[in-house]
Amino acid sequence: IVTDDEGEPTGLIEEGAIDLVRALTYPHSTAELAEAIGRANRDYVQEGITSCTEAGVGTGWVGHSPIEVAAYQQARTTGALDVRIQLMVAHEALHVLDAHADDPAGARLDLGLHTGFGDKWLRLGAVKIFADGSLSGQTAALSRDYAGARAHRGALRFTAGELARHVVQAHATGWQVAVHALGDRAIDVVLDAFEAAQHAFPRTDVRPRIEHCGLTRPDQLARLRALGVVPVPQAVFIERTGDALVTALGPERAEWAHRHRSFLDAGLTVPGSSDRPIAPGSPLRGVHAMVNRTTGTGDVLGPGEVVSPSQALYAYTMGSAHAGFDERVKGSIEPGKLADLAVLERDPTTVPPDTIKDIAVLATLVGGRFVYDAPGFVVDGGVAGEGASAR
């Protein structure tokens, strides 16, 4: 609870203190959430989005209702859902349940559901755990002090042992584990937890995720690769908070923020991500940020992390499909895969890099069906959406 010089609360609360006031606004009703999902769906298809990941349902810091999944089911039943969705489950929703001695002990969602349950439209993804806070807010856990702040390194939400216990319990019961970690100290602790989970319960191709992986030291890159981690950075943060990152971290460490090129060079697969609603969610806006890495004042933050337009497009297609175990059915246009497509006004690989974000989406198809077409967009001699087929 942030206070002023006289010790009085300012009205600003940070990180876990939200639990003190959550009951004032939560939970939302299922009907309200289903209607909001429908509104978001309409925005998403206009941006060319055909699949997305909801990064936390059920409870915890990002859940809006303990029965939030019912709102997604209602949206699908009523025809309001044109976007395929993976639902991350907040780890607070998992419980230690009675199970047979032959089954691994650990935290489970009710009925024993875990990653992969569902269908091509609505499916359970990873379990979501928070390790620390934010870089620009200077609450992320760092291994060294924030710039200009003596003895201030942010904080971990859990001790290293507690975090490892949460990760191991979820991993043991079949979950892909995704941990929110922005500071390099938090990333160290998360990597230790992933290693402990694999040692205790070896599994193949588990693809543990670090959501944001915000400040990654050079010495951490090889370990990310060795553990098969999927880093999920948000280059669009550079546009929104890049200047604040330089202030918080200093110019040297700020170069390590929201990496991309270094992850690729280390042999990692990087998905496209926005962390919406914290930052703009348009994929073309994200591609633009990956290619340009321009801050609000026009500086380029981390020029060594710039990637090509083709690499940025790969992140938002095959990279994101890989992060959700979907690369066999999504992410590229080829026989046997879902016909989820976006038709763009111009080719992002041929336009001036500083104009990528201005490219218009002309149409979006999901499952071969037009779910959005821009006014006046015509294909094969007919208006999109009237039975015409796209070439």
Side-chain angles (χ1 to χ4, degrees), residues 14 137-140 142 144-147 149-155 253:
E14 295 181 337
Q138 300 190 17
T139 56
L142 305 185
R144 291 163 33 204
D145 292 346
Y146 281 91
R150 181 178 296 178
H152 175 51
R153 300 185 177 187
R253 284 187 296 177

Side-chain angles (χ1 to χ4, degrees), residues 24-362:
L24 299 177
T25 56
Y26 292 83
H28 293 289
S29 72
T30 300
E32 180 183 8
L33 291 173
E35 195 273 334
I37 291 166
R39 291 203 314 272
N41 179 93
R42 292 191 292 273
D43 287 342
Y44 284 18
V45 295
Q46 292 182 45
E47 295 172 341
I49 295 174
T50 61
S51 293
C52 69
T53 296
E54 167 63 79
V57 297
T59 185
W61 288 9
V62 289
H64 294 286
S65 164
I67 58 172
E68 194 169 356
V69 176
Y72 283 90
Q73 291 181 298
Q74 182 173 319
R76 184 183 177 193
T77 300
T78 59
L81 204 59
D82 290 318
V83 174
R84 304 181 196 275
I85 298 178
Q86 277 199 19
L87 299 172
M88 284 188 180
V89 176
H91 93 275
E92 292 91 342
L94 274 59
H95 316 284
V96 176
L97 305 175
D98 289 337
H100 192 277
D102 290 345
D103 294 327
R108 301 175 185 273
L109 194 62
D110 292 340
L111 301 179
L113 306 180
H114 56 77
T115 300
F117 180 81
D119 58 24
K120 294 175 182 178
W121 282 98
L122 191 59
R123 191 166 87 247
L124 293 181
V127 66
K128 175 77 173 288
I129 305 173
F130 277 86
D132 67 347
S134 74
L135 290 171
S136 58
Q138 300 190 17
T139 56
L142 305 185
S143 58
R144 291 163 33 204
D145 292 346
Y146 281 91
R150 181 178 296 178
H152 175 51
R153 300 185 177 187
L156 294 168
R157 189 182 181 202
F158 303 104
T159 67
E162 289 171 338
L163 180 68
R165 177 169 57 84
H166 292 315
V167 170
V168 171
Q169 285 186 330
H171 172 87
T173 54
W175 287 94
Q176 180 189 27
V177 180
V179 183
H180 164 117
L182 278 126
D184 61 325
R185 181 184 170 215
I187 292 171
D188 280 334
V189 172
V190 172
L191 292 175
D192 287 344
F194 287 163
E195 188 171 32
Q198 274 292 80
H199 178 75
F201 299 97
R203 288 167 48 198
T204 59
D205 195 23
V206 293
R207 305 184 198 182
R209 298 169 54 134
I210 297 183
E211 305 303 306
H212 311 300
C213 214
L215 182 67
T216 311
R217 300 189 311 269
D219 64 284
Q220 293 174 318
L221 296 171
R223 196 173 181 206
L224 289 167
R225 168 66 177 176
L227 291 171
V229 173
V230 177
V232 189
Q234 288 79 27
V236 73
F237 278 177
I238 294 169
E239 176 186 316
R240 302 275 289 186
T241 64
D243 296 310
L245 290 178
V246 175
T247 300
L249 302 172
E252 177 188 357
R253 284 187 296 177
E255 298 283 312
W256 303 341
H258 299 291
R259 291 178 180 270
H260 196 147
R261 169 69 67 181
S262 293
F263 290 148
L264 296 182
D265 291 346
L268 301 170
T269 300
V270 183
S273 175
S274 69
D275 201 41
R276 192 179 217 159
I278 306 303
S282 162
L284 286 168
R285 189 79 169 264
V287 169
H288 181 101
M290 292 174 182
V291 172
N292 293 281
R293 294 183 67 90
T294 306
T295 71
T297 57
D299 295 329
V300 177
L301 180 60
E305 298 299 333
V306 165
V307 296
S308 70
S310 293
Q311 289 169 322
L313 285 171
Y314 188 93
Y316 267 98
T317 51
M318 284 299 291
S320 292
H322 171 84
F325 294 92
D326 279 332
E327 69 273 16
R328 293 182 181 178
V329 295
K330 296 181 185 178
S332 59
I333 303 172
E334 55 186 299
K337 288 195 172 184
L338 300 171
D340 299 349
L341 313 168
V343 182
L344 305 183
E345 173 194 28
R346 290 175 291 160
D347 181 350
T349 67
T350 62
V351 301
D354 61 352
T355 66
I356 292 174
K357 63 181 174 59
D358 300 319
I359 296 174
V361 175
L362 299 181

Side-chain angles (χ1 to χ4, degrees), residues 1-2 12-22 61:
I1 300 175
V2 179
L12 176 64
I13 59 175
E14 295 181 337
E15 306 304 333
I18 192 174
D19 292 334
L20 300 174
V21 298
R22 176 172 291 277
W61 288 9

